[in-house]
Amino acid sequence: MKQNSKYTQLNRRNFIGHVGVVSAGLTLGVKPWYIKKVNSKSMMKEKKCSRIMIGYVWRLESTPGGNIGDYAITPGLVTLLEHNFPKYQVTALNMKRSSKFRIYNELHGFPKCDVVDDALSSVFSSELLKIKNEFGGTLPIINSSNIDIVFDKFASGIINRVKQEYPQFIDVLLETCLFIYNSGMILVYGEETLAGSGPIGFWNYTVLRSLPLLIAWKLGIPYGIYAHSFDSFGDVNDSGQPYFRKLLENAKFVFCRDSNSVDYVKSLQINAPNLMFVPDSTISANQCDNNWASEFMKRNGLNQKRFLIIVARTWNQGDRGSSTIGRKRGFSHMEKMRHIISQWVLKTGMKVIITSEVESDFNNVAEFIYYKLPENIRSSCIMPDAFWTTEQAVALYRQARIIVTMEVHSFLMAIPQGTPTIVPTFSESGRKIWMLNDFKLNDWLFDIDNVSAEQIEDTIFKINDQYQHYSDLVNTKVIPYLKNIEDRAMKIVGKALVPEAK
């Protein structure tokens, strides 16, 4: 890794000397990429690091507002890593310390995958306060000329405090051969993004959310980014671009889940290694609850491949994206979804399941779609009694004839099941919606604000009328194509791993 005189990177050798950590039963050695482990006979045994760390694990808190799509991201990546690199320990990094129970519940199908609480974010606020006080009580505005404040001063402060307060976490870092930043749309900065703009947005969102990458850079731990969407890094003279340029150009790989993000990174002349489209890891989340699906279908009189699923999203969730849609647009979206449902029932006689991908939207979908349907249509529709799990959704997606979803992650969960899936969504969803182009299914993507319900229905009924053709398209062309790309990605990941000790 090329070093800049402005920035001081630490490899494992000088990091050990820098922090001087000794914890119970574990003495840090002097060789890079190794630790010295004391066994029960006090014999010093050399151990090669063999851990792959994933961070962060998205939306696994047990509070309302859960998202079945977010729940699927980490299991998909763990599945890929454990299959391709069985000799390595896969570790999931949990940003929210209070949500560990929910994470263990979600990862129950991965007994070898362990979960660690993130000590980096735990010390973030105290170290940020130091920076703020040093600059007269205000957070410094970062640009290309002073980016070393983040990569040197702030990163060193985080490392020193973690060493003091969470020494066991340092042990885990020293065992890590490769850090992989999870699939999502989190690495952003600027207006119209989750981060926002200005010093507060940059420090309290952009830096906080990318903290493992920053610390991996500082410690010389190889890192990569897996299947991310990069909506924006802000203006050329703002904080985001120089920050992400440094992180991305020093990564081992930067995989984007849509080519639109690849093109965006290239447009900024960021020379990221192995920059390419790789599908969201959700497509490899194959855990499903077939028993629940069978019982649900029996209870509701559903037959295999003889029902439609509607996964709706309203404007009334209270998050940044939904609040920009507003009631007028939101009512129009719901009206179109009701029209689709009515035409499906009238023309096919098949039933419809109506639900949401996000738990906080579940009751809204019932209010604005299910209960507003005319009685003769609603009698053929099913609104589940309670919100479902990721495993239940995957199992039911496998049995459906067609899925119409306003949420991209339901598309990602349904396509691997071989089920044709239509996505009428809105521009606030960001660059990720363009992944349908990469899946070669762009004809199934609709801007719900700029098409009529009838235009969406034309595609639905075209698929229904030529069902075997479109089912074969998904199963024999789309899925193998995506799996081939995943295989290429895993080969690149393998090259980034430190060779295991003999």
Side-chain angles (χ1 to χ4, degrees):
M1 187 178 292
K2 184 178 180 181
Q3 295 196 27
N4 187 312
S5 59
K6 274 190 174 183
Y7 314 104
T8 305
Q9 279 186 285
L10 303 171
N11 62 28
R12 292 174 188 268
R13 178 178 294 155
N14 56 35
F15 169 64
I16 291 166
H18 181 67
V19 300
V21 178
V22 178
S23 59
L26 192 63
T27 303
L28 301 184
V30 295
K31 292 185 178 181
W33 306 102
Y34 286 79
I35 60 172
K36 297 281 189 175
K37 187 174 182 179
V38 181
N39 63 23
S40 58
K41 297 180 181 180
S42 298
M43 298 289 291
M44 299 297 292
K45 185 177 180 181
E46 206 169 57
K47 179 185 176 183
K48 188 84 169 186
C49 76
S50 58
R51 183 188 301 273
I52 303 172
M53 184 181 290
I54 301 170
Y56 285 113
V57 184
W58 305 132
R59 293 300 302 272
L60 295 177
E61 61 267 35
S62 56
T63 55
N67 184 320
I68 59 169
D70 287 349
Y71 292 163
I73 293 173
T74 300
L77 187 51
V78 173
T79 296
L80 287 169
L81 294 174
E82 289 192 343
H83 174 74
N84 286 279
F85 311 108
K87 294 183 179 180
Y88 287 83
Q89 171 68 48
V90 178
T91 296
L93 184 62
N94 172 31
M95 186 177 189
K96 297 187 177 181
R97 302 178 68 82
S98 63
S99 64
K100 191 167 185 178
F101 173 79
R102 183 67 179 89
I103 291 176
Y104 272 120
N105 183 50
E106 198 272 341
L107 293 176
H108 69 272
F110 302 93
K112 294 193 297 181
C113 178
D114 60 359
V115 179
V116 297
D117 285 334
D118 178 33
L120 304 176
S121 57
S122 296
V123 305
F124 177 85
S125 295
S126 58
E127 286 305 307
L128 188 60
L129 183 60
K130 286 183 180 179
I131 296 291
K132 186 175 181 179
N133 290 338
E134 187 172 333
F135 286 85
T138 60
L139 291 172
I141 298 174
I142 299 300
N143 53 49
S144 57
S145 66
N146 66 357
I147 193 70
D148 57 303
I149 294 172
V150 184
F151 281 87
D152 193 358
K153 183 185 294 291
F154 184 69
S156 295
I158 292 286
I159 291 167
N160 284 327
R161 186 170 286 271
V162 170
K163 176 260 296 186
Q164 295 168 5
E165 298 183 12
Y166 303 97
Q168 290 182 337
F169 187 78
I170 296 296
D171 299 340
V172 174
L173 288 181
L174 289 174
E175 295 175 348
T176 300
C177 302
L178 178 66
F179 178 84
I180 301 178
Y181 201 90
N182 223 342
S183 179
M185 51 188 296
I186 305 300
L187 300 176
V188 293
Y189 172 79
E191 296 293 344
E192 307 301 326
T193 71
L194 295 169
S197 60
I200 293 178
F202 174 72
W203 286 99
N204 286 310
Y205 186 91
T206 300
V207 175
L208 174 60
R209 292 288 183 161
S210 61
L211 201 52
L213 294 173
L214 174 63
I215 301 306
W217 181 91
K218 186 68 175 175
L219 299 180
I221 299 172
Y223 63 88
I225 298 168
Y226 198 94
H228 222 75
S229 292
F230 300 114
D231 282 346
S232 178
F233 295 157
D235 296 332
V236 64
N237 296 319
D238 213 338
S239 306
Q241 285 200 31
Y243 179 70
F244 283 116
R245 181 180 303 278
K246 189 71 179 178
L247 285 181
L248 269 58
E249 289 187 344
N250 284 280
K252 294 296 183 181
F253 52 85
V254 177
F255 300 153
C256 301
R257 59 183 178 178
D258 56 273
S259 290
N260 195 275
S261 291
V262 173
D263 293 341
Y264 173 67
V265 173
K266 288 180 178 179
S267 75
L268 302 179
Q269 298 183 322
I270 294 176
N271 298 313
N274 294 305
L275 176 65
M276 59 184 279
F277 161 72
V278 172
D280 190 300
S281 58
T282 298
I283 72 165
S284 289
N286 52 21
Q287 294 73 33
C288 61
D289 192 340
N290 290 320
N291 291 334
W292 176 89
S294 296
E295 193 278 332
F296 181 90
M297 291 172 63
K298 182 178 180 181
R299 187 171 69 248
N300 290 284
L302 297 170
N303 296 316
Q304 184 181 32
K305 297 299 180 182
R306 300 294 295 171
F307 61 92
L308 177 75
I309 297 181
I310 295 286
V311 183
R313 175 166 178 157
T314 75
W315 71 95
N316 200 28
Q317 296 181 66
D319 60 52
R320 188 187 302 263
S322 292
S323 64
T324 65
I325 295 172
R327 292 178 62 86
K328 184 177 180 179
R329 283 176 64 199
F331 275 128
S332 175
H333 297 170
M334 297 302 100
E335 183 180 13
K336 290 175 182 179
M337 299 303 281
R338 293 195 301 269
H339 194 279
I340 291 168
I341 293 167
S342 296
Q343 291 302 303
W344 175 266
V345 172
L346 293 172
K347 291 184 177 182
T348 70
M350 298 185 204
K351 292 185 176 182
V352 182
I353 297 172
I354 303 170
T355 187
S356 69
E357 189 178 293
V358 182
E359 187 175 6
S360 60
D361 214 18
F362 186 72
N363 291 333
N364 297 329
V365 169
E367 177 182 355
F368 296 117
I369 296 183
Y370 181 76
Y371 288 113
K372 287 187 179 295
L373 291 167
E375 176 56 36
N376 66 315
I377 301 298
R378 190 167 68 247
S379 62
S380 295
C381 297
I382 301 155
M383 186 75 200
D385 296 331
F387 190 66
W388 51 0
T389 68
T390 301
E391 294 85 356
Q392 291 167 353
V394 169
L396 210 53
Y397 289 167
R398 182 176 296 172
Q399 302 299 324
R401 186 172 183 84
I402 299 173
I403 294 168
V404 179
T405 173
M406 296 176 68
E407 297 275 14
V408 172
H409 269 90
S410 281
F411 167 83
L412 289 166
M413 289 188 286
I415 288 297
Q417 311 313 314
T419 304
T421 303
I422 309 300
V423 184
T425 188
F426 36 84
S427 60
E428 286 84 356
S429 295
R431 296 184 194 275
K432 66 181 179 182
I433 64 175
W434 302 113
M435 69 174 70
L436 273 78
N437 291 344
D438 296 291
F439 281 48
K440 304 187 185 303
L441 295 174
N442 48 297
D443 288 344
W444 294 357
L445 176 65
F446 295 90
D447 182 343
I448 196 170
D449 290 297
N450 293 309
V451 298
S452 65
E454 288 82 2
Q455 288 173 285
I456 301 171
E457 291 158 12
D458 286 345
T459 299
I460 294 171
F461 291 120
K462 182 179 180 181
I463 294 171
N464 185 60
D465 293 342
Q466 304 174 53
Y467 192 75
Q468 191 61 52
H469 167 75
Y470 287 105
S471 178
D472 289 345
L473 172 69
V474 173
N475 283 289
T476 65
K477 293 186 177 180
V478 175
I479 295 175
Y481 166 71
L482 297 174
K483 291 300 180 182
N484 283 337
I485 296 175
E486 275 191 335
D487 289 343
R488 286 177 54 202
M490 287 298 107
K491 287 182 173 63
I492 293 171
V493 171
K495 291 179 181 178
L497 285 167
V498 176
E500 190 178 25
K502 295 180 180 180

